[in-house]
Amino acid sequence: MSLRLRLIVRPIAFKLSALMSKEVKMTQRRQKILLLLELNEQVSSRELSHRLHVSYDIIINDMIYLEKAGLLRRIEGGAIVLEEGSEVDDK
């Protein structure tokens, strides 16, 4: 495994283990959303729907769930990485 890939995978693995300790229900699809977000810093809802072969509405529901869990910030048309130390506004 290349050094660059190790540097990317370690923080993701740490985040996922932290999620499990929070007892956040993580489906494989939600894990993939977080992985793609971590790799790209921003993802489009339509792109996720296409890449994960699920409806746009399912992606939106997953992103709402992940935002409430404090794992990403939803923006118009997609999501961005939640900056460390910032909190998600209750909507």
Side-chain angles (χ1 to χ4, degrees), residues 20-78:
M20 295 308 162
S21 68
K22 288 184 179 179
E23 298 183 18
V24 175
K25 183 179 177 189
M26 294 295 295
T27 63
Q28 286 183 351
R29 185 180 62 247
R30 288 175 180 164
Q31 290 175 358
K32 287 177 186 177
I33 290 170
L34 291 175
L35 177 62
L36 290 167
L37 185 60
E38 196 72 33
L39 293 173
N40 299 299
E41 295 185 12
Q42 181 173 344
V43 290
S44 136
S45 305
R46 296 277 178 211
E47 178 186 353
L48 288 173
S49 174
H50 178 74
R51 289 181 78 164
L52 301 177
H53 308 287
V54 294
S55 75
Y56 178 79
D57 291 336
I58 289 173
I59 293 297
I60 297 301
N61 287 337
D62 284 344
M63 289 194 318
I64 290 169
Y65 182 91
L66 293 168
E67 183 178 45
K68 286 180 180 177
L71 302 172
L72 58 78
R73 178 172 302 278
R74 288 186 311 128
I75 58 170
E76 187 173 335

Side-chain angles (χ1 to χ4, degrees), residues 3 22 69 87-88:
L3 178 60
K22 288 184 179 179
E87 294 182 17
V88 177

